[in-house]
Amino acid sequence: MIQARIQARAPGAPPPPTVLHGAARDPATEAPRAVVAGIGFRHATLPEEIVALVAEGLRQADLAGARLAAIATAADRAGDPAIRAAAETLGVPLVAVDVEALREAGRRVVTRSVRIEALRGVGSLAEAAALAAAGPDARLVLPRIASAGATCALAASGDALPS
C-alpha cells in the first residue's frame, strides 16, 4: 500500500514524495501499475542526468511511448533536490521506498553491485526500487543501466507489462 505524507508546501514547490510501505497497488482499484523507473544516484547528480537516463531506459526497453507511472528511490534519498526536480520534470510522483521494501524486492534483482550491496543490502538500488514501487507481481522490463552519476531500472506489473 502506498501512503503519502501530507504536509504544507510553498506554492510552486514540488509535492513531497510518496512513501512506500509494502505492496504498490492502489487499494481502491487493485489495478496494475504502469511502468516505474527505479533510480539510484550520487549526491552531485543533476536532475537533467536523471531525466535523460529515464528517457534512455524507456528507449532501450522499446517503451518510449509508454506511460511512466512514477520514479522510485530509497526513502533516505527522496528529499534530494535532484530527484525531486527530475520527478517534477517528468510529471510523475516520486515514490520513497523504505529499507524493508527495498530489501524484500532486492531478492528479485538481477544485477549485483558489491558497493551497493554493502551499503544498502541489495544488489541494485535502482532495480529494487522499481520492483518495490511496481508491486509484488512486478518484473523488470529493463535491468539497471547507468550514467556517470545515476542508475535506472524499469519495472511493471500485471497488465502493464509490455508484450
Side-chain angles (χ1 to χ4, degrees):
M1 155 176 136
I2 295 179
Q3 298 177 353
R5 273 187 255 166
I6 301 173
Q7 60 190 151
R9 60 186 170 103
T18 301
V19 180
L20 177 66
H21 300 284
R25 290 193 177 248
D26 179 350
T29 64
E30 282 298 307
R33 302 195 33 118
V35 177
V36 175
I39 305 294
F41 62 101
R42 296 174 193 247
H43 288 286
T45 305
L46 296 174
E48 295 82 6
E49 183 176 348
I50 295 169
V51 170
L53 189 60
V54 170
E56 176 60 16
L58 290 168
R59 187 196 67 72
Q60 284 187 27
D62 201 23
L63 295 172
R67 185 178 75 80
L68 187 65
I71 61 173
T73 196
D76 64 330
R77 299 302 310 279
D80 188 285
I83 194 76
R84 293 172 64 97
E88 185 174 4
T89 297
L90 292 165
V92 296
L94 172 60
V95 178
V97 183
D98 69 22
V99 173
E100 270 185 45
L102 278 175
R103 290 192 176 144
E104 178 66 29
R107 297 178 189 160
R108 298 183 288 143
V109 304
V110 297
T111 306
R112 297 274 171 213
S113 163
V114 173
R115 180 177 143 304
I116 294 302
E117 198 144 28
L119 289 171
R120 298 278 183 180
V122 297
S124 168
L125 175 63
E127 291 177 11
L131 287 165
D137 298 328
R139 72 168 188 183
L140 288 173
V141 293
L142 181 74
R144 180 187 75 190
I145 61 171
S147 64
T151 58
C152 174
L154 303 176
S157 65
D159 296 336
L161 288 173
S163 53

